[in-house]
Amino acid sequence: MPTLIRFLSVLAVIAGLIYGAMWALVTFVEPQERDVTIRIPSERVNPPSTGTINATKK
């Protein structure tokens, strides 16, 4: 039983350290806004036609 309690306490300490690190990041780090430009090739926006479209199914 002492081994289980020791294992659970180590896991609790590790979880507390991770939680504390996440809290510190949220509290002290301020994100910077910036403009993002993504170029999309015209082939993706207006793909070339590959043939005629059948209006009726046979």
Side-chain angles (χ1 to χ4, degrees):
M1 192 68 168
T3 306
L4 178 62
I5 293 173
R6 187 180 309 144
F7 175 70
L8 291 177
S9 63
V10 168
L11 286 181
V13 168
I14 291 172
L17 289 173
I18 292 172
Y19 184 80
M22 290 173 57
W23 178 82
L25 282 173
V26 168
T27 304
F28 298 117
V29 176
E30 187 68 32
Q32 298 175 355
E33 293 185 12
R34 59 182 177 169
D35 293 332
V36 176
T37 303
I38 300 174
R39 296 186 180 265
I40 301 174
S42 62
E43 293 83 24
R44 292 191 67 191
V45 177
N46 298 318
S49 61
T50 58
T52 59
I53 299 174
N54 294 334
T56 60
K57 291 185 177 182
K58 293 183 179 182

